[in-house]
Amino acid sequence: MPYTAQIEDAKKKFEAVLEEQLKRVEKMKAEKEFIDYDKLDQIIIGVVGGDGIGPAITEQAERILKFLLKDEVDAGKVAFKEITGCTIEHRAEVGKALPDDVLDELKQCHVILKGPTTTPRQGDPWPNIESANVAMRKELDLFANVRPVKVPAEGIDWTFYRENTEGGYAVGSKGVNVTDDLAIDFVVQTHEGTERIARAAFEYAKKAGKTRVTCVTKANVIKTTDGNFLSVCKEVAKDYPGIELDDWYIDIMTAKLVDPKRRTQFQVLVLPNLYGDILTDEAAEFQGGVGTAGSANIGKRYAMFEAIHGSAPRMVQEGRDKYADPCSIIRAAVMLLEHIGYVDKAKALEKALDECMYTEKKLVITGRDTGATSAEFADYVMSKLK
Ligand code: IPM
Ligand code: MG
């Protein structure tokens, strides 16, 4: 048999993937309940600037949070912890998506506000390490990526529940080049992993008074992993009698999002990792682009809130980082406040941001010196909160 050695080598790699994933399943089975922030003496908010324009915009969102939480910080109820080592330089230097010192610091926090981090790819000057986002989601088990998109004037009010730790991302950097001609990647789906994201979507729907959850897969072709994802969603739906579950394939869903009549019918969408990645960028475009959207990564013990755009290194090279748009990370700050129980403060910040971005628009961000700086924009938002 030709290729015996290559097949044996690939089998070993596959075996390692199986062992790792089966351990993960056991860990999920042993999972405890969600953390209760009300019961904590102090909530620690970690702030990770990231790289590129990250530090510049994250600093502005942090200023706003500190302004809104001043009394809580003074009373010791809330503390901020700055984590500076999550830069592409440091990650490249230690050859890890998430350096150990950064991970240790993250684990000392309850929630994290995170700026964009550069994701290297083949051909970049950096080693081709895994994305820091993906590593953080996996290490802290942030299984629910929640991405709201709203365009009230067009009747768009969607909340995406993207599975965040499985699919093509679970072992995305452990694919196998079996021979020079054959490469195989792995897609992972687990019963526990799907059940917890489906339950999170339905729980949100119930709490928010929504009547429909839409499951998006390609179960007609990707029969095993997507097929199971859909059937677990159907199982979970039985526990929520007032909420209808409908199922769509990712291709037609991508088309229907641009159909003005159809798209207003979607409310909560639950979907595997990669489809969620793609569809949420498309969805954010209706709202003004990825720069306008916030993203929450929720787990049972930790939660991380981030801007959904990239790190725009070119803006830094051209000295324009102080003009970068902080709206996405401020949106993430809204979600963080809401998540830790400061619902009124979250609403006030959301209203202020909407006013500054969409209705009053006294300052405009253009990304260059023709517009406001991020700091000026943050001051503008805070002026609405006084
Ligand atoms: C996102 C991003 C990340 C992802 C990248 C940076 C790895 O696109 O948060 O949507 O694919 O999840
Ligand atoms: Mg994405």
Side-chain angles (χ1 to χ4, degrees):
M1 167 82 183
Y3 303 119
T4 309
Q6 287 95 328
I7 292 173
E8 282 312 312
D9 189 45
K11 274 194 202 158
K12 276 199 200 99
K13 287 179 180 150
F14 185 39
E15 201 177 326
V17 166
L18 294 179
E19 278 168 13
E20 175 196 283
Q21 292 304 309
L22 286 167
K23 266 192 212 140
R24 201 174 63 81
V25 170
E26 290 312 312
K27 239 169 109 185
M28 277 190 283
K29 283 188 177 161
E31 254 175 8
K32 297 189 202 79
E33 293 300 300
F34 279 95
I35 191 169
D36 183 350
Y37 299 101
D38 287 343
K39 294 210 175 107
L40 297 175
D41 293 332
Q42 185 178 57
I43 301 175
I44 302 175
I45 303 177
V47 181
V48 176
D51 40 47
I53 57 168
I57 56 171
T58 308
E59 186 191 339
Q60 300 312 322
E62 184 183 0
R63 274 178 64 218
I64 295 176
L65 280 179
K66 284 185 169 160
F67 172 80
L68 278 168
L69 293 168
K70 186 176 181 312
D71 293 346
E72 288 73 13
V73 171
D74 289 346
K77 184 89 193 86
V78 171
F80 284 84
K81 176 175 171 57
E82 267 136 47
I83 301 169
T84 53
C86 199
T87 60
I88 184 67
E89 290 81 8
H90 184 40
R91 285 152 52 217
E93 184 195 320
V94 298
K96 275 194 159 178
L98 214 48
D100 296 341
D101 54 328
V102 173
L103 186 58
D104 285 348
E105 287 188 274
L106 290 171
K107 287 190 171 167
Q108 290 162 29
C109 305
H110 298 101
V111 289
I112 295 140
L113 182 71
K114 182 187 147 296
T117 43
T118 302
T119 302
R121 57 177 177 184
Q122 271 181 17
D124 276 359
W126 311 109
N128 197 11
I129 46 176
E130 190 185 36
S131 141
N133 300 41
V134 174
M136 210 181 280
R137 292 166 184 167
K138 282 200 274 196
E139 290 286 352
L140 304 179
D141 204 18
L142 309 174
F143 64 86
N145 187 190
V146 185
R147 296 184 161 179
V149 170
K150 277 189 209 157
V151 188
E154 290 174 32
I156 293 176
D157 185 357
W158 301 320
T159 308
F160 293 87
Y161 273 74
R162 163 189 177 192
E163 202 294 317
N164 216 15
T165 49
E166 304 196 340
Y169 284 63
V171 281
S173 50
K174 292 188 184 152
V176 182
N177 284 307
V178 181
T179 67
D180 287 345
D181 302 307
L182 174 67
I184 306 266
D185 261 314
F186 303 107
V187 176
V188 175
Q189 182 274 341
T190 67
H191 190 276
E192 288 69 26
T194 306
E195 188 179 347
R196 63 186 186 174
I197 187 69
R199 218 164 268 292
F202 273 97
E203 280 297 316
Y204 165 76
K206 190 170 145 189
K207 214 174 85 196
K210 309 279 182 188
T211 51
R212 176 185 292 190
V213 172
T214 301
C215 176
V216 186
T217 65
K218 187 74 186 177
N220 52 341
V221 177
I222 315 293
K223 292 187 190 291
T224 311
T225 48
D226 277 6
N228 290 356
F229 191 96
L230 177 58
S231 51
V232 173
C233 285
K234 285 182 180 164
E235 251 174 63
V236 170
K238 290 184 192 147
D239 293 340
Y240 299 84
I243 303 167
E244 176 195 350
L245 174 78
D246 56 355
D247 94 84
W248 287 72
Y249 296 136
I250 181 64
D251 49 350
I252 192 65
M253 172 54 74
T254 311
K256 287 302 158 194
L257 281 199
V258 285
D259 175 343
K261 273 194 238 89
R262 260 342 243 279
R263 69 181 174 205
T264 55
Q265 296 167 8
F266 303 120
Q267 303 177 15
V268 181
L269 298 97
V270 61
L271 61 184
N273 211 337
L274 184 58
Y275 308 143
D277 178 45
I278 298 166
L279 207 65
T280 54
D281 269 18
E282 186 197 7
E285 198 64 21
F286 298 112
Q287 179 183 273
V290 287
T292 62
S295 160
N297 298 267
I298 315 277
K300 295 203 168 164
R301 167 62 180 81
Y302 301 99
M304 182 265 279
F305 301 81
E306 62 182 339
I308 95 166
H309 54 78
S311 59
R314 196 183 325 155
M315 283 191 82
V316 184
Q317 281 151 24
E318 293 172 4
R320 292 189 285 119
D321 43 338
K322 66 176 182 187
Y323 298 105
D325 190 344
C327 290
S328 177
I329 189 97
I330 300 174
R331 256 319 140 210
V334 171
M335 299 181 86
L336 183 152
L337 284 169
E338 189 178 339
H339 185 72
I340 58 177
Y342 295 109
V343 178
D344 292 344
K345 291 183 201 285
K347 285 212 174 97
L349 179 55
E350 186 174 31
K351 188 166 163 277
L353 186 59
D354 283 344
E355 234 178 295
C356 297
M357 282 173 74
Y358 301 122
T359 50
E360 197 184 73
K361 293 200 266 191
K362 259 202 212 147
L363 289 185
V364 184
I365 296 271
T366 60
R368 345 189 134 254
D369 60 7
T370 50
T373 63
S374 333
E376 284 161 354
F377 194 85
D379 288 339
Y380 176 35
V381 172
M382 284 189 277
S383 73
K384 301 281 166 204
L385 293 165
K386 281 176 184 151

